[in-house]
Amino acid sequence: MTGNEIREKYLKFFEERGHQILPSASLIPHNDPSILWTAAGMVPFKPYFTGKATPENLRVTTCQKCLRTPDIEEVGKTARHHTFFEMLGNFSFGDYFKEKAIPWAWEFVTSVLALPKEKLWVTIYMDDDEAFDIWHKEVGVPKDRIVRMGKDTNYWEIGVGPCGPCSEIYIDLGEERGCGSKDCAVGCDCDRYLEIWNLVFIQFYRDEEGNYSPLENKGIDTGMGLERVASVMQKVKTNFDTDLLREIMDYAGSLLKVKYGEDDEKDLALKVITDHTRAITFAIGDGALPSNEGRGYVIRRLLRRAVRFGRVLSMQDTFLHKVSAAVIKQMASAYPDLEAKQEHILQVIRTEEERFLETLAQGTEIIAKLTAEAKAAGNTVIAGADAFKLYDTYGFPLELTKEIAEENGLSVDEEGFTKALEKQRQRARSARQETEYLSERGVMYKALREELGVTRFTGYSLLEGKANIMAILKDGLQELSAEAGEEIELILDVTPFYAESGGQVSDHGHIVGEDFKVEIYAVSKPLDDFIVHHGKVIAGKVRRHQTVDVEVEGSRRQDVARNHSATHLVHKVLQEVLGDHVNQAGSLVEPDRLRFDFTHFAAPSPEELKRIEELVNNMILANLPVEAFETTLSKAKSMGAAALFGEKYGSNVRVVKMGDFSLELCGGTHVNSTAEIGLFKLVSESSIGAGTRRIEAVTGRGVLQYLEAKEEQISQIAKAVKATPSEVVKRVKGLQQSVKDLESELESLRSQLSRQEVASILGQAREIKGIKVLAAVVSAKDMDGLRSMADLLRDKLVSGIVVLGADNAGKVSLVAAATKDIVKQGVHAGKVIKEVAQVVGGGGGGRPDMAQAGGKDASKLQEAMDKAYAVIEGQLQ
Ligand code: SER
């Protein structure tokens, strides 16, 4: 059974039992700061288990891409460890529980996979008698094949969230795979008993502090590692030998000129390269990019580790992107979007590889130096500060420094490294103090929301309305009233004010009572459904529980809406012009301009940019209707709505539709029809990091301002060149021509002048011991001019030596040029110039026939020339 077949059979088995097959979620968890990666099949479903969101179907089955890095060092050394792997799972959100999950798992394993019952074992959580009874009485597993285990193995949890006791299915791979120990049994670390499936009985919620509370709806989360099961089905020793990985590994072997299976060390390298390349290929495909922080750092670390193992196999060049292409080829049938993103993925990998090879060259030198220094000083430790510097300035992962140090018999002061890192973080944090402070207030807002209830937002259709003041806050504390001049925060029961989110800036406006007025300059949404108005009382006294008129500044809102709607058009147009790999990486929507960041490698050409601008404007002129509606996520997706990286799981999403052209998940405010955007003008395009580009543009009134500024610029240029704006180009061309004419006239006058000078200078030549010697102070505009004059004079002398000196604004230039015949007689221009230069406080030298020098003291130029005669005379002795 191939990997693909197992995947299909699994999903189909559960589909037949009422489960909805969902596609794998992104490796980047959505809205879950407690974890960096989707590390298990249940991760995307946390809100369903807790009841925070309602799924469309209470039974779901998936094959989920997973990434885990804690065991990175084990990868390739063991038969089973991976950073990237696929997990098959079936889930129940408050629907069935153990009574179905257990018999189904057994049925699948024994009927579909047809694994021999007599080789199967199960484990259960210590006191889970319920599970015991189901396994034994209903399924018929003999008592002695059911092993009770502790919390360390049979309780499953992942950070904050749903968790519970679990039960696992093991297969006995035979005594010959065992460690031979007397105590070898299920749970032993050796290769004999292999866990193939974990059934988690979700019943608790673990909070940030580590407290457990029972969940209202119990659920099921199961996980079966696809690569493992494939190894069992294909009767191979390691996951790397399954069809899922073997082809990729063999391809890597062909690139690195290594045959798998001949040498353990080399096999290890191939396995690491294969595993890590799978991980970075999928992670980059899901929108992660290498960087020095968080998720990006994991990618960087995996990629760099793989490159290093390539170097162990003597690969000096970039190669990982080729392995990645093989990964995509292998996995594309199950993950078709990989193919669409192939170009982007390979580009990111190749660029990062190139960068790392440069870094490696630099860093390896530095580590070699550090190692040598440490050894010389009898030290066995590399200082934490040094390791940090390598990390910070050269992007050298700590692990890599450690590995290289270890190869040299040294260790790294990790504590020192952490200290240095922490110090740097603190610096960064104090720069962000303001936002940190706000986030500390989160607790206070949470309490307020509980007390006051949520804020109803009416701003999609209204710009004004009546509301009640629910709370007034000053410096984070509740007050009953506030006076003119005070800065406050207001909480209303209902508001048309849009709070900054999704890249769109907040509304401005006023909140007005009978005898007071508050100017609102910012609006935030610290929690879902909770809107905070930030403003200043500009007249009167505002009191709690008053009824007020709320007024959003309409023109600003409309400017923002124009820019926001334009970003949707830009997004879609970019995909049409540059390709499907383009994805939004960030955006900023302000009244004056919009900024749109997207994934793309090369700089778009001027033609492409023109085309982008033109297409966006076509869509504006087409006057497409803009509608927004709510629907379920899966419906939105099946309609083809664009979503940001990382899926959103909530029962309802808002979709913004522009004619048949664009469909995007979006919570922002928009124009009613694209024509309201007016006009779209690209203002700049630039790179903001590997594989990410930024467009800035203006719309509507912004375009008018842009045109006005351009016009003003032209009129200033026109004024400066004394022409009317329409004649500017002609005038500038005329000016350029006359500059050219003047320059050539100047040049001819100069050469005339120097010819005349040459004639008069030649008259100064002396004869010393039958040789013509000329040393003179001349005028030349630079060293080049002086040299060509010396060449000319030397030619005129036919046989002899010329020494010239010139004063260029206080800087002295000297040149000496001798004909070949007198060089043979012992004259050396280089030596002459050296001595002459000393007179004017300088130095220099050169060949026997040509030399030059500089000096500082122009007042001694004549003296220097006199010296030249003397030196040459000396050389002729
Ligand atoms: N969450 C469990 C695991 O990862 C079962 O899916 O093992």
Side-chain angles (χ1 to χ4, degrees):
M1 223 184 258
T2 64
N4 282 343
E5 277 163 5
I6 298 170
R7 201 191 285 116
E8 272 159 31
K9 288 204 156 109
Y10 185 95
L11 297 175
K12 189 146 171 288
F13 178 88
F14 284 100
E15 188 179 41
E16 281 161 2
R17 283 153 187 80
H19 293 66
Q20 181 186 12
I21 302 179
L22 285 183
S24 171
S26 171
L27 277 175
I28 301 177
H30 177 74
N31 255 346
D32 191 343
S34 73
I35 42 174
L36 223 43
W37 301 101
T38 300
M42 60 80 74
V43 166
F45 305 126
K46 279 183 176 184
Y48 295 163
F49 284 116
T50 54
K52 235 171 133 185
T54 322
E56 273 170 60
N57 201 313
L58 297 181
R59 298 180 185 184
V60 162
T61 181
T62 59
C63 178
Q64 176 64 48
K65 309 175 257 194
C66 297
L67 212 156
R68 292 183 186 176
T69 52
D71 292 330
I72 187 169
E73 310 282 342
E74 296 301 314
V75 173
K77 291 184 187 156
T78 72
R80 318 274 165 224
H81 281 98
H82 295 295
T83 56
F84 174 87
F85 60 97
E86 293 175 81
M87 189 182 276
L88 297 162
N90 53 292
F91 306 91
S92 151
F93 312 116
D95 186 34
Y96 64 86
F97 200 46
K98 298 176 195 176
E99 78 292 347
K100 284 204 168 63
I102 292 176
W104 278 341
W106 190 253
E107 186 185 347
F108 182 78
V109 169
T110 55
S111 307
V112 182
L113 299 183
L115 295 175
K117 286 183 187 158
E118 65 279 8
K119 291 201 171 149
L120 297 175
W121 289 73
V122 298
T123 65
I124 55 170
Y125 183 57
M126 279 174 315
D127 52 7
D128 193 350
D129 295 332
E130 194 186 352
F132 184 90
D133 286 346
I134 299 172
W135 279 119
H136 179 56
K137 293 188 185 142
E138 276 176 48
V139 175
V141 176
K143 277 186 187 161
D144 57 356
R145 287 289 177 100
I146 306 172
V147 186
R148 291 181 190 258
M149 308 256 262
K151 192 174 172 192
D152 50 336
T153 58
N154 281 48
Y155 192 94
W156 205 87
E157 59 192 359
I158 182 171
V160 174
C163 53
C166 58
S167 173
E168 304 160 315
I169 304 180
Y170 278 78
I171 184 159
D172 179 355
L173 295 175
E175 229 181 308
E176 66 281 7
R177 299 284 290 274
C179 54
S181 147
K182 260 204 182 135
D183 310 326
C184 183
V186 166
C188 178
D189 274 343
C190 74
D191 280 344
R192 175 166 177 182
Y193 297 97
L194 176 67
E195 180 212 325
I196 53 171
W197 204 342
N198 186 13
L199 316 176
V200 185
F201 311 128
I202 298 278
Q203 353 186 353
F204 298 103
Y205 182 84
R206 183 193 154 117
D207 67 16
E208 282 93 347
E209 279 96 47
N211 304 315
Y212 297 87
S213 48
L215 284 171
E216 216 166 282
N217 291 317
K218 292 178 186 168
I220 289 293
D221 150 33
T222 86
M224 166 147 76
L226 177 62
E227 294 81 358
R228 268 178 193 220
V229 176
S231 79
V232 173
M233 297 305 289
Q234 295 169 16
K235 301 201 169 54
V236 290
K237 277 205 167 149
T238 82
N239 295 2
F240 292 92
D241 297 288
T242 64
D243 69 317
L244 291 163
L245 287 124
R246 183 61 199 259
E247 262 172 54
I248 302 168
M249 198 165 60
D250 285 343
Y251 175 71
S254 73
L255 280 180
L256 298 160
K257 310 207 171 39
V258 178
K259 201 147 180 264
Y260 173 63
E262 290 182 347
D263 176 312
D264 285 351
E265 281 294 301
K266 291 179 177 168
D267 287 355
L268 172 67
L270 285 181
K271 287 173 182 170
V272 170
I273 290 166
T274 302
D275 171 87
H276 290 8
T277 309
R278 291 207 323 154
I280 57 176
T281 300
F282 276 93
I284 294 170
D286 278 343
L289 287 170
S291 75
N292 256 0
E293 252 184 33
R295 218 168 266 137
Y297 183 59
V298 174
I299 308 249
R300 179 158 280 170
R301 183 176 164 207
L302 285 166
L303 185 144
R304 295 184 164 198
R305 227 173 153 257
V307 171
R308 285 249 309 143
F309 276 94
R311 281 169 83 88
V312 168
L313 300 181
S314 309
M315 174 51 93
Q316 302 291 339
D317 220 342
T318 63
F319 71 100
L320 271 191
H321 60 283
K322 294 184 190 154
V323 183
S324 173
V327 170
I328 294 175
K329 198 168 140 223
Q330 168 75 27
M331 304 299 278
S333 65
Y335 301 94
D337 66 323
L338 274 183
E339 234 163 15
K341 290 171 180 156
Q342 165 147 345
E343 201 184 332
H344 168 74
I345 297 170
L346 301 192
Q347 283 266 36
V348 172
I349 294 179
R350 186 162 58 207
T351 309
E352 181 70 12
E353 272 187 280
E354 281 164 2
R355 212 194 268 180
F356 183 49
L357 289 182
E358 279 168 32
T359 304
L360 257 184
Q362 287 177 321
T364 311
E365 253 173 55
I366 296 175
I367 296 189
K369 215 177 112 218
L370 291 175
T371 316
E373 279 171 11
K375 278 187 179 161
N379 239 333
T380 55
V381 185
I382 288 184
D386 288 334
F388 179 72
K389 190 163 169 230
L390 275 165
Y391 161 81
D392 198 35
T393 17
Y394 296 95
F396 238 65
L398 174 65
E399 295 70 22
L400 199 52
T401 307
K402 265 168 52 187
E403 277 173 32
I404 300 180
E406 265 163 35
E407 283 163 16
N408 287 291
L410 297 174
S411 63
V412 176
D413 170 16
E414 287 185 53
E415 212 172 287
F417 175 89
T418 314
K419 261 192 204 143
L421 184 69
E422 196 40 48
K423 222 164 149 190
Q424 194 208 40
R425 291 221 170 112
Q426 239 153 32
R427 278 198 297 275
R429 214 173 290 144
S430 57
R432 283 198 308 258
Q433 215 170 29
E434 176 103 31
T435 41
E436 289 282 315
Y437 169 61
L438 278 180
S439 82
E440 269 168 30
R441 280 195 186 182
V443 184
M444 182 263 304
Y445 287 129
K446 217 164 163 180
L448 260 184
R449 186 178 64 179
E450 253 151 50
E451 180 191 331
L452 308 172
V454 298
T455 322
R456 195 156 59 81
F457 175 63
T458 57
Y460 286 134
S461 49
L462 301 174
L463 287 180
E464 50 185 38
K466 295 234 177 271
N468 290 311
I469 296 182
M470 308 297 286
I472 301 171
L473 301 175
K474 257 189 274 178
D475 296 326
L477 295 175
Q478 280 211 60
E479 300 285 342
L480 295 177
S481 65
E483 317 245 347
E486 287 187 302
E487 310 266 344
I488 54 169
E489 291 174 14
L490 288 178
I491 318 288
L492 307 177
D493 54 346
V494 43
T495 184
F497 272 94
Y498 182 84
E500 173 162 350
S501 58
Q504 179 179 332
V505 297
S506 65
D507 281 332
H508 288 178
H510 292 97
I511 292 177
V512 185
E514 251 169 38
D515 52 357
F516 70 87
K517 191 166 182 177
V518 182
E519 186 190 318
I520 301 301
Y521 49 72
V523 186
S524 60
K525 197 161 72 174
L527 305 169
D528 281 351
D529 302 318
F530 194 66
I531 296 174
V532 179
H533 306 77
H534 305 256
K536 183 174 181 169
V537 187
I538 49 176
K541 184 171 179 180
V542 43
R543 288 189 187 79
R544 197 160 73 168
H545 298 320
Q546 273 174 318
T547 302
V548 290
D549 287 312
V550 187
E551 302 158 4
V552 169
E553 191 188 308
S555 63
R556 174 186 159 95
R557 163 71 84 84
Q558 184 67 6
D559 287 341
V560 171
R562 281 191 190 96
N563 282 335
H564 200 154
S565 298
T567 60
H568 286 213
L569 295 179
V570 169
H571 190 181
K572 185 74 192 182
V573 165
L574 284 172
Q575 287 176 335
E576 284 196 357
V577 176
L578 302 178
D580 276 341
H581 62 278
V582 168
N583 260 308
Q584 177 165 351
S587 74
L588 177 67
V589 181
E590 293 180 329
D592 311 337
R593 65 181 183 135
L594 66 96
R595 203 168 78 190
F596 190 79
D597 300 341
F598 58 101
T599 49
H600 182 58
F601 238 85
S605 67
E607 294 73 40
E608 283 169 334
L609 289 175
K610 213 170 151 201
R611 180 106 190 96
I612 290 162
E613 194 175 81
E614 187 183 311
L615 286 181
V616 172
N617 280 306
N618 285 351
M619 289 306 142
I620 292 171
L621 297 176
N623 194 14
L624 305 175
V626 179
E627 304 153 68
F629 54 90
E630 288 205 347
T631 182
T632 62
L633 178 70
S634 69
K635 278 199 190 119
K637 282 196 165 171
S638 67
M639 283 187 266
L644 291 193
F645 280 140
E647 271 93 324
K648 229 183 229 171
Y649 282 95
S651 45
N652 278 323
V653 291
R654 184 167 182 267
V655 179
V656 173
K657 178 173 185 286
M658 304 191 174
D660 289 327
F661 185 67
S662 146
L663 200 66
E664 253 187 60
L665 299 192
C666 178
T669 63
H670 288 270
V671 295
N672 297 310
S673 82
T674 56
E676 285 175 38
I677 298 171
L679 200 60
F680 170 85
K681 178 80 196 117
L682 271 182
V683 179
S684 76
E685 193 282 331
S686 58
S687 160
I688 53 163
T692 319
R693 313 219 43 107
R694 168 170 293 175
I695 271 182
E696 293 191 298
V698 290
T699 68
R701 293 197 290 184
V703 179
L704 195 62
Q705 277 159 15
Y706 178 81
L707 288 179
E708 276 167 3
K710 287 274 161 199
E711 230 170 48
E712 175 60 24
Q713 212 175 11
I714 293 173
S715 91
Q716 279 183 15
I717 296 169
K719 222 160 133 193
V721 298
K722 300 202 172 55
T724 62
S726 60
E727 282 173 340
V728 158
V729 176
K730 208 172 125 203
R731 178 93 180 108
V732 168
K733 279 191 177 150
L735 285 172
Q736 279 172 333
Q737 188 55 47
S738 69
V739 167
K740 239 185 178 158
D741 293 347
L742 288 170
E743 272 172 353
S744 79
E745 199 180 325
L746 185 66
E747 200 47 44
S748 88
L749 284 173
R750 267 212 189 107
S751 67
Q752 239 178 56
L753 202 69
S754 76
R755 268 201 302 280
Q756 276 170 15
E757 205 177 3
V758 164
S760 91
I761 294 167
L762 266 179
Q764 300 173 34
R766 295 183 201 169
E767 257 203 40
I768 299 174
K769 301 223 155 51
I771 279 175
K772 280 187 238 161
V773 179
L774 172 58
V777 179
V778 299
S779 57
K781 74 172 192 292
D782 52 21
M783 186 58 97
D784 279 350
L786 195 64
R787 280 230 314 251
S788 50
M789 199 186 275
D791 280 341
L792 190 70
L793 286 164
R794 180 178 54 181
D795 291 349
K796 294 251 152 140
L797 288 182
V798 185
S799 166
I801 173 165
V802 180
V803 181
L804 299 180
D807 168 11
N808 304 312
K811 243 186 75 200
V812 174
S813 307
L814 296 167
V815 168
T819 56
K820 294 252 154 54
D821 55 329
I822 71 147
V823 169
K824 283 192 192 126
Q825 296 183 38
V827 171
H828 192 296
K831 288 180 183 160
V832 173
I833 211 80
K834 197 169 166 202
E835 290 197 41
V836 171
Q838 277 166 9
V839 179
V840 287
R847 305 192 312 254
D849 61 332
M850 182 51 115
Q852 64 185 48
K856 296 183 204 106
D857 190 354
S859 71
K860 297 223 172 107
L861 256 177
Q862 192 52 53
E863 194 182 311
M865 293 304 121
D866 295 342
K867 172 96 182 179
Y869 286 112
V871 174
I872 293 163
E873 191 165 358
Q875 286 188 346
L876 287 167
Q877 294 295 339

